[in-house]
Amino acid sequence: QVQLVESGGGLVQPGDSLTLSCLVSGLDSEDYSIGWFRQAPGKEREGVSCIYLNGDTKYFDPSVRGRFTMSRAKNTMYLQLNALKAEDSGVYYCAAGRRWNIIPRNYDYWGQGTQVTVST
């Protein structure tokens, strides 16, 4: 079955960097997007970025564009978070879906999440 496992979260200070990993297994093809999402307490889950595996086409939400980057090495997806702000805090999830967008309802498979806290 499809599994996604995130890691790499932690407590950092504003301006710091962090790298999140998402190990993906069980996909039957490259015709999937891997998306990154985050959810802060009391807020809805929001899309951060996505990469379409067949071609590595990427998209970033304007709130993180220029600060976050995505890369992949075989079955592991990476989200590099730079110049972190307090409002970047939340539980970060990776997910797999058939559409290339960052709308949570379009994703079928989800990881368990990893906490990112940006605070002084």
Side-chain angles (χ1 to χ4, degrees):
Q1 72 272 26
V2 178
Q3 289 187 319
L4 301 99
V5 180
E6 304 96 334
S7 61
L11 171 63
V12 296
Q13 295 187 345
D16 283 354
S17 296
L18 203 60
T19 301
L20 306 183
S21 302
C22 173
L23 177 61
V24 183
S25 62
L27 294 179
D28 57 5
S29 75
E30 293 257 294
D31 292 328
Y32 280 89
S33 282
I34 302 299
W36 285 96
F37 301 84
R38 64 187 180 190
Q39 188 166 20
K43 294 189 176 182
E44 292 188 356
R45 192 168 299 186
E46 62 178 6
V48 173
S49 65
C50 65
I51 179 171
Y52 196 73
L53 297 180
N54 193 349
D56 284 357
T57 308
K58 302 167 190 171
Y59 175 81
F60 295 89
D61 183 79
S63 67
V64 305
R65 198 171 294 157
R67 298 190 298 123
F68 291 9
T69 61
M70 290 186 72
S71 61
R72 62 180 292 202
K74 293 186 178 180
N75 293 337
T76 301
M77 311 296 149
Y78 299 97
L79 182 67
Q80 175 73 32
L81 292 66
N82 299 313
L84 282 162
K85 307 174 183 179
E87 51 264 43
D88 294 320
S89 297
V91 179
Y92 281 69
Y93 301 89
C94 62
R98 290 289 193 174
R99 296 186 182 183
W100 184 67
N101 59 45
I102 53 171
I103 301 172
R105 68 173 182 270
N106 286 336
Y107 284 74
D108 302 308
Y109 307 99
W110 291 82
Q112 81 289 350
T114 185
Q115 177 72 46
V116 172
T117 304
V118 185
S119 175
T120 56

